[in-house]
Every structure is written in structure tokens, then in C-alpha cells.
Amino acid sequence: MKVLVISDIHGSGYYAEKIKEINEKENPDKIIALGDLYYHGPRNPLPEGYNPMEVAKKLNELKDKIVCVRGNCDAEVDQMISNFEIVERADVEADGVKYTLTHGHHYNEENIPENCGDVLLHGHTHVKLQKEINGIKIINPGSVSIPKDGSKSYIVIEDRNILFKIAEWNIH
């Protein structure tokens, strides 16, 4: 199984279109979205092409592949424009590995949830992370639109391999 992991779009229609391009290039079976889909939040600048409804439109086109958790900038009302479910936490299994999905503002490397899977996937910080704590791999793909570590990024998981990918698109 091939899985695309993205996080922290923050309302960028421009980068939502890029996610569609990544989907076409990578052709994953599933897309994991780790929250903060539509709004930029008070601590972040407006991202390129800020247009939350355009993000919803682009993600809804991928609805059959998406597993999504709610971020701290996501609201219950966002479910009304999303044709996929947005949940607080999810557990997904791929190739015999159990992944626990959370945004990262409650559960992260400093607060691992009870009954965590083999891998904890979270976003929130906009910084790529890969570490292991007490036998649990902690992975953060960074952000596709507002990175705080210098490079827009996402993850591809295939055959139990976790590959960080730096987005290769130009900002106009």
C-alpha cells in the first residue's frame, strides 16, 4: 500500500492544487491529512493563494482516498464543506504497521497517546521530524504551505518505508 501524508495546508488554494499534482505523480492508495486544512490561524501569515473554499474543492475531489484528523485551526463547521470525515484521532494500518494519526497540538513526541500504534504521525509544528521514543516512531511531515524549517514537504509511505519528500515547485 502506498500512502501520501500531508499536513498544514492552512487555506492555500495554490498548495492544494500542488497536492493534486503530488497525488497524480505518486498515485497513493490513501492520503492522510494531519489537519489545519482551511484557515491560517492568528500566528501564521496568509499563505500563497489563500482561498479556503478552493482547498475544500480540491480535497473533495480526492475524498475517496482521504483520512483526515482535525487540527487546532480546524473547526466543526469545516465538516460542512468537506466531503470526507474529519476526526480527532484515527488509527490506520498499512502493510502490517499501525499508524496513529493526530494533529500534534494535543498528542506528539512529548505526549504520546494511550494505545498508540507503531508510528505516531502528527503535524502542527510545520517542522519535519523523525525520532523514536520507547519503541514508537514519531513522524511529522512538516508543512506543504507554511514550513518553519525552510522547505515545503510531505511524506510517502510505501512497503513500510517512510520517505520525506521536499516539494519541487516554484512559488510565483
Side-chain angles (χ1 to χ4, degrees), residues 99-153:
Y99 298 88
T100 297
L101 317 177
T102 182
H103 178 61
H105 60 300
H106 294 299
Y107 297 111
N108 50 49
E109 62 276 10
E110 295 175 8
N111 187 24
I112 297 171
E114 288 186 35
N115 303 316
C116 188
D118 305 304
V119 179
L120 175 63
L121 288 173
H122 76 81
H124 182 61
T125 64
H126 301 215
V127 176
K128 292 175 285 305
L129 172 76
Q130 182 172 355
K131 67 190 319 185
E132 189 167 318
I133 299 173
N134 298 325
I136 297 172
K137 291 182 180 165
I138 315 293
I139 309 288
N140 184 329
S143 173
V144 295
S145 69
I146 309 173
K148 295 187 178 174
D149 62 358
S151 59
K152 295 167 180 65
S153 56

Side-chain angles (χ1 to χ4, degrees), residues 3 39 43 61 82 105 115 131 152 160-161 165:
V3 180
Y39 305 110
R43 295 179 298 168
E61 292 172 9
S82 303
H105 60 300
N115 303 316
K131 67 190 319 185
K152 295 167 180 65
R160 302 176 72 125
N161 294 312
K165 299 227 176 173

Side-chain angles (χ1 to χ4, degrees), residues 36-54:
D36 284 358
L37 304 178
Y38 303 128
Y39 305 110
H40 69 289
R43 295 179 298 168
N44 296 311
L46 282 176
E48 173 97 16
Y50 186 70
N51 186 340
M53 287 303 293
E54 185 66 17

